[in-house]
């Protein structure tokens, strides 16, 4: 690891060699990427914490059409599928991998325009203006959904003059994408933006039994609308509306562990969601600026699959089953905060104070065909939180940031097995950051933070314990909240002309009452009972870096990399397997991304990226691993006035990349011998895109 101290030294040295005259240059020479998700807008180079930002240019570089296509670019970020799209995120090795009968609280949340989409999966990114990845606990800012981090997405909004972009893409696997974005001002105080997108694909699976190639298809429509109203000099209102209509198939797992399935009843991954948010900003008070948001989301999903992965008649010892989850989710949340103005400082400290409240209801109907069994449950969760943050300058260049959030949650749970359980707890999160702003181009920080996420009820385990009289499952009725402590040291630096930008962070995280996924196989067959358990503790530590180098006017290079070491604390599964001291799931030891933009001529650009990831365990409850992989993306684009034409390839080397894995027996042809079964990401993609922008 000799490169680590060398890199830190280089990063610190970049701006230090500048002359005093250069240091006093206007701030316009600084990198202009501002983080939208923090309490105040800051340049990513001047904000303590490990934060990665992707803009529209980064989306184009890899010809990304979905968030899945972008996540490989982030250091220490991973994801799990188990559905038609990647749905569950992990940061620094922390995060969930599935949600079946029991409602989970994600360790890594997702916000789109301030609306909580955590655990739902995301469709369109065509109108995304910026994607921010907060790595490490962000409880003060985001609460219980940011135990390990947060993805904050901001879409493009209204403009003061007519602006638009229309694009079309054709690709292999009978894929196409149509997208449009238009924004304008109706008058001096009212403006709007509208974004529409349709994606369609046959998917990447051949169903050998049905002789079809579209059982894992993609069919997604997304609409987003913003209306911004400047009421007067001091008050701005914005209405945000989202609509998602996803009608995807789900037929991803094969008994032969390849892309050819034998299912006679392929599954589905359907989501219908609509969301509204009303945002307000008031600047008329002398001592503070007031921000507020009320948001509502209603989502219905139908997720199911052929549980036996085969057809009737494949073997005399077969079983035939489908598993289906009908889930309704409705949430209402309010978030109000006051942010100090220069006149409103406490002494010489800037401050933030806010309150947050949410009411969420989750209704589930699970239908298991071979048992002719239906299981219903309902969870109502109420959250109430107060938070505050102080930024205190100490002397020239030095400052301290202190943040605190206290949150109460109350759960009411009921199901068809007669279980009625109430859970509640009061949790708290905090941050303490010591910052040294060497000059406008360099920041050194030392950060300590505490994150949390709520506990819950193992309703499926309780119901099966009653059905099968299993005392072991009866002990897993509930699981406790988890706490994560993080210590972090970081350095950020950039050259005055922005030819070099570098960020590096080293961290050590301690997980207490770590939540892990447990499984019990009561009848030694293909049916499993899942539940969430608490391991004693966990350790996660490592380093992550991001660099941009403008070699010359024709060549720019982008490098991100991470190294991660994780360990489970005292953890023995309900089946008696001891995994104490083993690496945690979804935690590859290294990841990297190297990309280059080569401007061959003024209109002609060639983009290439190489991304790699080490192998990792798929679960904390078994030892199945993914394979290490390298991913190559290519793009050749031509700019002709307002037109852009591109020929591209993703996963150009056609690698099989595992995005979900299980270890159990599901094949009657070999006596249900246990195997590692994997779901694979997209194979080689080749396509052409055309866009018109004005």
């Amino acid at each position: 690891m000799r490169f680590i101290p060398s890199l830190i030294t280089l990063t610190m040295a970049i701006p230090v060699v500048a002359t005093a005259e250069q240091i006093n240059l206007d701030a316009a020479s600084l990198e202009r990427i501002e983080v939208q998700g923090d309490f105040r807008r800051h340049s990513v180079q001047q904000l303590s914490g490990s934060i990665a930002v992707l803009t529209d240019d980064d989306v184009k570089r890899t010809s990304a059409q979905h968030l899945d296509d972008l996540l490989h670019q982030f250091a220490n970020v991973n994801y799990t599928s188990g559905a038609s799209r990647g749905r569950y995120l992990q940061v620094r090795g922390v995060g969930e991998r599935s949600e079946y009968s029991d409602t989970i609280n994600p360790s890594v949340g997702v916000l789109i325009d301030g609306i909580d989409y955590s655990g739902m999966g995301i469709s369109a990114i065509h109108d995304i203006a910026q994607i921010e990845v907060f790595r490490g606990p962000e409880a003060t800012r985001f609460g219980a959904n940011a135990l390990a981090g947060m993805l904050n997405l901001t879409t493009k909004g209204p403009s003061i003059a007519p602006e638009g972009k229309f694009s079309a893409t054709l690709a292999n696997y009978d894929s196409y994408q149509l997208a449009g974005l238009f924004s304008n001002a109706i008058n001096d105080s009212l403006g709007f933006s509208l974004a529409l997108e349709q994606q369609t694909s046959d998917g990447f699976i051949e169903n050998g039994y049905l002789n079809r190639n579209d059982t894992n298809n993609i069919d997604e429509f997304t609409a987003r609308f913003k209306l911004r109203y400047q009421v007067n000099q001091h008050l701005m209102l914005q209405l945000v509306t989202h609509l998602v209509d996803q009608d995807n198939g789900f037929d991803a797992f094969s008994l032969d562990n390849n892309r050819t399935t034998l299912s006679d009843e392929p599954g589905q991954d359907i989501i219908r969601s609509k969301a509204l948010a009303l945002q307000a900003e008031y600047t008329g008070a002398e001592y503070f600026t007031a921000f507020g948001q009320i948001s509502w989301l209603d989502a219905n999903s139908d997720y199911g699959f052929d549980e036996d992965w085969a057809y009737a008649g494949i073997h005399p010892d077969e079983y035939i089953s489908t598993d289906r989850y009908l889930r309704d989710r409705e949430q209402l949340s309010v978030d109000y905060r006051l942010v100090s103005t220069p006149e409103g400082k406490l002494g010489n400290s800037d401050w933030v104070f806010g309150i947050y409240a949410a009411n969420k209801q989750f209704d589930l109907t699970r239908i298991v065909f071979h048992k002719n069994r239906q299981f219903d449950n309902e969870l109502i969760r109420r959250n109430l939180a107060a938070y505050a943050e102080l930024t205190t300058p100490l002397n020239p260049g030095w400052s301290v940031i202190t943040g605190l959030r206290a949150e109460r949650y109350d759960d009411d749970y009921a199901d068809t097995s007669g279980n009625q359980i109430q859970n509640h707890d009061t949790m708290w999160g905090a941050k303490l950051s010591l910052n040294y702003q060497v000059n406008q181009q360099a920041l050194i920080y030392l950060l300590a933070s505490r994150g949390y996420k709520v506990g819950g009820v193992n309703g499926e385990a309780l119901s099966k314990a009653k059905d099968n009289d299993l005392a072991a499952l009866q002990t897993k009725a509930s699981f406790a909240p988890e706490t994560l402590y993080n210590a972090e040291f970081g350095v950020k630096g950039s050259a005055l002309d922005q030819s070099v930008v570098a960020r590096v962070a080293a961290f050590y995280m301690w997980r207490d009452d770590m939540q892990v996924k447990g499984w019990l196989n009561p009848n030694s067959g293909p049916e499993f009972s899942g539940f969430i358990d608490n391991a004693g503790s966990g350790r996660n530590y490592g380093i992550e870096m991001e660099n941009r180098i403008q070699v010359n006017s024709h060549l720019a290079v982008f490098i991100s990399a991470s190294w991660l070491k994780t360990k489970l604390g005292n953890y023995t599964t309900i089946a008696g397997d001891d995994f104490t001291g083993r690496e945690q799931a979804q935690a590859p030891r290294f990841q990297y991304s190297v990309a280059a933009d080569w401007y061959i001529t003024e209109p002609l650009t060639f983009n290439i990226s190489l991304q790699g990831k080490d192998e990792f365990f798929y679960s904390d409850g078994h030892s199945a691993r993914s394979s290490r992989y390298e991913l190559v993306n290519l793009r050749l684009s031509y700019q002709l006035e307002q037109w852009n034409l591109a020929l591209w390839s993703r996963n150009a080397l056609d690698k099989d990349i595992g995005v979900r894995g299980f270890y159990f027996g599901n094949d009657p042809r070999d006596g249900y011998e246990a195997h590692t079964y994997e779901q694979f990401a997209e194979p080689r993609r080749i396509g052409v895109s055309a866009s018109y922008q004005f």
Side-chain angles (χ1 to χ4, degrees):
M1 303 299 292
R2 292 180 180 177
F3 73 95
I4 296 175
S6 301
L7 177 64
I8 294 175
T9 302
L10 173 63
T11 306
M12 294 173 62
I14 289 169
V16 173
V17 298
T19 66
E21 180 180 355
Q22 288 174 319
I23 291 174
N24 290 325
L25 286 177
D26 187 86
S29 64
L30 293 175
E31 187 179 42
R32 278 302 184 183
I33 297 178
E34 290 188 334
V35 176
Q36 309 291 315
D38 198 46
F39 291 130
R40 302 174 188 267
R41 291 188 178 183
H42 293 284
S43 163
V44 66
Q45 291 296 96
Q46 297 176 321
L47 189 64
S48 60
S50 182
I51 304 167
V53 179
L54 292 186
T55 64
D56 185 49
D57 290 336
D58 301 296
V59 174
K60 294 176 184 176
R61 183 173 298 113
T62 55
S63 302
Q65 297 172 282
H66 191 272
L67 186 64
D68 293 4
D69 305 325
L70 290 173
L71 291 177
H72 301 288
Q73 298 186 46
F74 295 110
N76 267 335
V77 175
N78 204 0
Y79 76 93
T80 298
S81 185
S84 62
R85 294 291 200 182
R87 187 163 293 177
Y88 308 100
L89 305 173
Q90 302 87 36
V91 172
R92 296 176 174 175
V94 182
E96 286 63 46
R97 295 169 299 283
S98 62
E99 182 179 41
Y100 292 105
S101 294
D102 301 315
T103 301
I104 63 169
N105 186 108
S107 299
V108 182
V110 176
L111 296 176
I112 305 178
D113 293 328
I115 301 172
D116 183 8
Y117 282 85
S118 304
M120 286 184 58
I122 304 169
S123 53
I125 59 172
H126 172 260
D127 63 328
I128 295 296
Q130 192 159 290
I131 301 174
E132 301 159 0
V133 177
F134 292 78
R135 289 178 288 228
E138 288 288 345
T140 304
R141 176 63 184 92
F142 299 111
N145 281 3
L147 175 80
M150 175 64 72
L151 263 69
N152 183 62
L153 288 75
T154 305
T155 64
K156 296 175 181 176
S159 57
I160 59 176
E163 292 182 6
K165 181 180 180 180
F166 303 96
S167 64
T169 295
L170 294 175
N172 55 340
Y173 298 96
D174 198 19
S175 304
Y176 74 84
Q177 177 186 23
L178 297 174
L181 171 67
F182 181 72
S183 64
N184 196 9
I186 299 173
N187 53 43
D188 290 342
S189 30
L190 191 64
F192 71 93
S193 64
L194 175 65
L196 304 173
E197 179 175 342
Q198 173 69 47
Q199 285 198 51
T200 301
S201 174
D202 283 346
F204 321 117
I205 293 294
E206 293 283 341
N207 187 304
Y209 176 73
L210 297 177
N211 194 28
R212 289 171 51 189
N213 62 1
D214 62 351
T215 54
N216 202 50
N217 70 297
I218 298 295
D219 184 359
E220 298 170 344
F221 172 77
T222 304
R224 297 187 180 115
F225 177 75
K226 289 183 178 181
L227 183 66
R228 185 178 299 163
Y229 179 39
Q230 192 71 43
V231 180
N232 54 45
Q233 180 182 355
H234 300 295
L235 179 61
M236 187 276 291
L237 300 177
Q238 180 166 264
L239 175 69
V240 178
T241 64
H242 295 170
L243 175 68
V244 175
D245 188 349
Q246 173 182 303
D247 195 8
N248 296 348
F250 180 47
D251 184 29
F253 285 93
S254 164
L255 291 178
D256 298 312
N257 213 23
N258 55 25
R259 297 183 189 273
T260 301
T261 64
L262 298 173
S263 310
D264 56 358
E265 297 183 80
Q268 66 283 334
D269 186 14
I270 299 170
I271 297 175
R272 311 271 193 266
S273 77
K274 46 189 179 293
L276 293 171
L278 180 62
Q279 302 164 341
E281 178 179 352
Y282 179 70
T283 59
E286 181 179 1
Y287 300 114
F288 59 81
T289 298
F291 298 88
Q293 174 172 296
I294 303 174
S295 67
W296 169 81
L297 180 142
D298 181 74
N300 304 310
S301 63
D302 181 354
Y303 167 77
F305 49 89
D306 191 336
E307 194 171 21
D308 55 278
W309 303 348
Y311 55 89
I314 190 173
H315 193 273
D317 295 332
E318 69 185 8
Y319 77 104
I320 300 173
S321 179
T322 59
D323 202 357
R324 188 177 183 187
Y325 300 81
L326 303 171
R327 183 173 270 112
D328 295 334
R329 166 177 169 177
E330 186 171 8
Q331 62 191 40
L332 179 67
S333 66
V334 295
D335 193 358
Y336 295 104
R337 66 181 181 269
L338 305 178
V339 180
S340 65
T341 61
E343 294 79 11
K345 291 185 177 184
L346 289 176
N348 61 346
S349 298
D350 293 311
W351 54 269
V352 175
F353 176 77
I355 57 173
Y356 169 84
N359 188 91
K360 300 180 181 180
Q361 180 170 332
F362 305 89
D363 296 306
L364 170 76
T365 295
R366 181 186 182 188
I367 303 170
V368 183
F369 170 75
H370 81 284
K371 290 266 188 184
N372 193 26
R373 179 175 180 267
Q374 179 172 315
F375 174 71
D376 300 306
N377 67 25
E378 177 187 82
L379 174 68
I380 299 175
R381 172 167 291 159
R382 302 174 185 88
N383 296 69
L384 181 63
Y387 55 88
E389 185 177 273
L390 282 177
T391 302
T392 306
L394 301 178
N395 54 44
W398 290 88
S399 64
V400 171
I401 299 176
T402 54
L404 181 65
R405 185 184 185 110
E407 185 160 357
R408 170 81 176 185
Y409 79 93
D410 294 280
D411 283 358
D412 291 315
Y413 173 87
D415 64 34
T416 50
S417 295
N419 298 303
Q420 291 186 328
I421 299 174
Q422 292 183 333
N423 276 348
H424 55 84
D425 210 333
T426 299
M427 307 164 294
W428 63 276
K431 67 181 291 186
L432 177 63
S433 177
L434 176 63
N435 305 329
Y436 176 47
Q437 194 75 53
V438 182
N439 53 46
Q440 289 184 333
Q441 289 79 44
L443 172 70
I444 304 172
Y445 68 88
L446 186 62
L447 171 68
S449 54
R450 184 186 195 269
Y452 59 85
K453 71 172 181 174
V454 304
V457 178
N458 284 315
E460 181 184 14
L462 282 174
S463 66
K464 290 191 176 181
K466 287 187 176 182
D467 291 347
N468 299 283
D469 193 24
L470 294 175
L473 281 178
Q474 291 173 355
T475 66
K476 303 299 181 182
S478 299
F479 53 94
E482 178 179 347
T483 305
L484 189 152
Y485 300 88
N486 174 60
E488 186 173 315
F489 170 73
V491 180
K492 301 181 180 183
S494 59
L496 282 167
D497 61 359
Q498 298 300 297
S499 59
V500 179
V501 176
R503 296 185 283 269
V504 63
F507 61 90
Y508 186 94
M509 304 196 307
W510 172 294
R511 303 175 66 180
D512 195 16
D513 284 326
M514 173 181 170
Q515 294 178 10
V516 295
K517 184 72 174 185
W519 298 92
L520 183 64
N521 183 208
N523 301 312
S524 300
E527 182 180 4
F528 285 77
S529 298
F531 56 91
I532 299 176
D533 204 356
N534 291 101
S537 63
R539 306 286 189 278
N540 303 57
Y541 56 91
I543 191 168
E544 54 218 8
M545 69 171 187
E546 289 154 341
N547 303 275
R548 188 189 73 218
I549 304 170
Q550 190 72 44
V551 180
N552 54 46
S553 60
H554 295 284
L555 181 63
V557 178
F558 308 83
I559 303 171
S560 68
S562 59
W563 176 82
L564 177 66
K565 178 67 175 176
T566 64
K567 185 169 71 172
L568 285 168
N570 183 22
Y571 179 53
T572 302
T573 70
I574 196 171
D577 297 319
D578 188 358
F579 288 106
T580 301
R582 203 203 71 174
E583 291 180 345
Q584 297 170 24
Q586 295 292 133
R589 284 204 176 188
F590 66 81
Q591 295 177 244
Y592 66 87
S593 175
V594 180
D597 294 346
W598 178 25
Y599 303 97
I600 303 172
T601 64
E602 185 173 347
L604 189 63
T605 304
F606 178 66
N607 312 103
I608 183 171
S609 65
L610 171 66
Q611 295 149 358
K613 188 178 296 184
D614 194 18
E615 60 183 16
F616 54 84
F617 289 105
Y618 281 122
S619 172
D620 291 318
H622 58 70
S623 296
R625 287 178 179 261
S626 70
S627 299
R628 172 181 170 175
Y629 71 82
E630 287 74 36
L631 181 67
V632 174
N633 303 304
L634 306 170
R635 179 183 175 92
L636 183 65
S637 61
Y638 187 81
Q639 188 72 40
L640 181 63
E641 296 181 348
Q642 294 168 293
W643 285 92
N644 183 274
L645 307 175
L647 172 66
W648 54 266
S649 176
R650 293 196 303 266
N651 190 9
L653 300 182
D654 200 22
K655 293 295 186 75
D656 286 334
I657 299 169
V659 291
R660 186 68 170 117
F662 298 100
Y663 183 78
F664 70 114
N666 204 40
D667 193 341
R669 299 172 301 181
D670 62 8
Y672 293 105
E673 181 180 346
H675 299 282
T676 297
Y677 292 108
E678 294 181 282
Q679 177 185 355
F680 299 110
E682 65 178 14
R684 181 189 291 119
R685 303 298 310 281
I686 299 173
V688 292
S689 300
S691 64
Y692 177 77
Q693 188 166 358
F694 61 92

